[in-house]
Amino acid sequence: MATSSDIDALAPDMADDMRAARELLGGSPAAELPPGLAALRARVDEDLEREQGLLATLRALPTPQRIGLVVILTGLLMGLTAVVTPRGEMADYPVVRMVVVLAVMGALMAVAVWRLLRPLHLPKPSSTATRLLLVAGVLAPTVAALWPVYGHAGHDPGHGLSFAVGCGQCMAFGAVMGAPVLALATMLRRAKVDGAAVVALAGVAAGLVGNLTLQLHCPVTDPLHLLLAHASLALILGVVALRWR
Amino acid sequence: MKSDEELMQAYIEGDVAAFSELFDRYGPMLLRIMRRQLRDDDAQELVQQTFLQMHRARNDFDTSRKLRPWLMTIAYNLKRELFRRRGRKPEAALEVEPEAEDRGDIVERKSEAARLRRALATLPEGQREVIEMHWFEELSFPEVAEILGMTTSAVKVRAHRGYKALRATLEKDVTGG
């Protein structure tokens, strides 16, 4: 509790200023009992009674476990992709590039999930940091798309209609892979009080999951295909999340 | 008497009575904080949300830490988000309790409240928030620092500047300057 000793411990000029101001302010109103508490208590009890079932149990998990669930789901989707529908030329694909792309996008996705599920008992992070994360989440797949693949020829992206169909298939694949992560992360949030940047971040995180799985699935290395069908997912799902909220 | 942290530990372990005790200890304080800047229905809504969030986050609570700054951070974050959503800066609205019994007391307190409201409204948001916590809610500087995510020294500097500015405003008010 703030007591006079709290102020006494300060430098003399600071303490004098504070004492004088507090004298002018009068007694602290901390001891007054506000009305309306009984009705409020009844509403709080109703809230707590509604907190039953699987969803409530998941939301009440410690934050590292909630984040862990989303990361595990992402890992499962990536594992499933690598086993069931791996890219055909995986063995020839440059290992360093694969590792860097997966590591950077995976790390961004994890940080985005952490920001989404950040509990309210911690001081609010700066909105600038959130916006930077949002921009990084959109830019990372774009940079990966434009990063030339040396010494490796991927599959032909096709031309005209076949190019468009290929792009559509990849976008659908990435969206289907990102959707469960977006749904889980949204379910695990305890309070939907954040601003537009955080809501968009949920979609961007899902777009990053789509990109992670596409990196393991799609054998095309053409920059235009990667840009339109892979990298755009983060932006599109970010906008979808904003519209959906 | 059990400490807040012991009560929270008991609540985490399923003791519903411990929650009642925590509500009795913190409900009035949180309602006062919210009513200072919000209409009564909004204030009640935010306190309700604070206890719901406390319940949902109960497994995140570290019982070796203090409960009060933990709970206050939830309350202040909810309040800030509400102001952000409404696109306005918080006002220093020090409301008189609506059920005060004595009529003369109400008039006197309204005048006092208006004087404080004017003085507080002149402070920058950061200073006003620190003064609110330190003076109105009697939180210590380290507790205020924990809630705001600042160092204790920075909170002391902010409080000093705030109190100094308040003193100047109130003195000017008294002398009619």
Side-chain angles (χ1 to χ4, degrees):
Chain A
M1 299 256 297
T3 60
S4 55
S5 64
D6 196 26
I7 291 177
D8 290 342
L10 299 171
D13 59 330
M14 272 175 105
D16 288 347
D17 283 333
M18 286 196 195
R19 274 196 214 96
R22 286 164 71 100
E23 209 165 289
L24 284 166
L25 284 164
S28 164
E32 294 170 17
L33 197 65
L37 271 176
L40 174 60
R41 176 61 208 269
R43 288 198 299 277
V44 169
D45 284 343
E46 283 170 18
D47 277 349
L48 299 193
E49 274 169 28
R50 278 195 291 269
E51 287 292 298
Q52 305 285 342
L54 179 64
L55 186 58
T57 306
L58 290 175
R59 265 199 307 241
L61 287 172
T63 296
Q65 288 183 25
R66 289 186 299 138
I67 294 171
L69 279 179
V70 180
V71 171
I72 287 169
L73 177 62
T74 304
L76 283 175
L77 290 170
M78 288 171 68
L80 197 68
T81 304
V83 171
V84 179
T85 59
R87 58 195 300 161
E89 31 64 278
M90 182 81 91
D92 304 325
Y93 194 83
V95 178
V96 174
R97 185 191 158 99
M98 177 66 82
V99 170
V100 169
V101 169
L102 292 181
V104 170
M105 287 201 276
L108 279 171
M109 198 282 297
V111 176
V113 170
W114 175 83
R115 175 63 190 90
L116 275 175
L117 302 183
R118 192 172 198 283
L120 279 168
H121 59 79
L122 296 177
K124 189 174 180 276
S126 79
S127 47
T128 308
T130 304
R131 288 195 192 106
L132 281 176
L133 186 58
L134 195 60
V135 171
V138 173
L139 279 185
T142 307
V143 171
L146 298 174
W147 181 13
V149 186
Y150 295 110
H152 174 76
H155 286 200
D156 180 9
H159 300 280
L161 185 62
S162 65
F163 177 84
V165 169
C167 285
Q169 284 172 340
C170 276
M171 287 186 81
F173 184 90
V176 165
M177 289 296 170
V181 174
L182 177 60
L184 181 64
T186 305
M187 280 197 308
L188 290 173
R189 290 177 73 192
R190 292 175 182 154
K192 293 176 177 65
V193 295
D194 293 304
V198 180
V199 174
L201 200 57
V204 170
L208 286 168
V209 174
N211 271 270
L212 285 165
T213 51
L214 281 168
Q215 179 68 20
L216 298 167
H217 167 75
C218 174
V220 176
T221 55
D222 172 56
L224 189 60
H225 172 88
L226 295 179
L227 207 56
L228 294 176
H230 297 203
S232 65
L233 265 176
L235 187 63
I236 291 168
L237 292 182
V239 173
V240 168
L242 264 181
R243 302 278 299 177
W244 184 33
R245 77 163 168 160
Chain B
M1 193 171 78
K2 279 186 176 176
S3 69
D4 293 346
E5 293 70 34
E6 285 169 338
L7 284 172
M8 190 63 185
Q9 179 63 49
Y11 180 55
I12 293 166
E13 288 164 6
D15 180 357
V16 181
F19 182 84
S20 293
E21 179 69 28
L22 287 170
F23 183 90
D24 290 345
R25 287 186 191 182
Y26 284 101
M29 182 172 107
L30 292 170
L31 202 49
R32 268 196 312 274
I33 291 172
M34 299 306 180
R35 276 186 177 151
R36 208 169 292 139
Q37 292 180 285
L38 294 163
R39 290 196 342 244
D40 188 53
D41 52 345
D42 286 334
Q44 296 221 13
E45 168 70 24
L46 280 193
V47 176
Q48 191 181 338
Q49 280 295 317
T50 302
F51 280 104
L52 177 62
Q53 290 305 320
M54 173 183 140
H55 171 77
R56 286 181 177 171
R58 64 194 182 280
N59 293 316
D60 272 338
F61 181 67
D62 174 358
T63 47
S64 67
R65 308 283 295 269
K66 288 276 180 196
L67 177 71
R68 191 160 68 149
W70 188 84
L71 188 58
M72 296 280 279
T73 310
I74 294 177
Y76 271 88
N77 278 337
L78 286 170
K79 190 173 75 163
R80 282 199 203 104
E81 287 301 333
L82 179 75
F83 282 126
R84 186 193 51 72
R85 282 202 303 278
R86 292 187 175 174
R88 68 181 173 98
K89 293 186 80 171
E91 298 152 9
L94 192 74
E95 291 301 332
V96 174
E97 305 297 355
E99 290 176 15
E101 285 173 9
D102 184 78
R103 190 97 190 129
D105 188 41
I106 291 176
V107 173
E108 193 180 318
R109 288 172 67 196
K110 270 188 173 169
S111 153
E112 182 73 5
R115 193 169 71 92
L116 286 178
R117 184 165 57 235
R118 279 197 303 272
L120 281 169
T122 61
L123 295 180
E125 173 63 11
Q127 289 177 15
R128 194 182 54 69
E129 214 166 41
V130 169
I131 301 277
E132 263 188 17
M133 290 186 211
H134 187 246
W135 180 69
F136 285 98
E137 301 313 326
E138 302 184 339
L139 292 169
S140 67
F141 287 131
E143 285 176 324
V144 176
E146 191 176 337
I147 292 167
L148 296 176
M150 299 166 66
T151 64
T152 306
S153 312
V155 166
K156 285 177 184 172
V157 169
R158 208 175 262 193
H160 176 229
R161 286 180 184 154
Y163 276 124
K164 205 171 171 178
L166 259 187
R167 181 187 173 184
T169 309
L170 290 170
E171 280 176 346
K172 204 188 290 177
D173 204 23
V174 167
T175 59

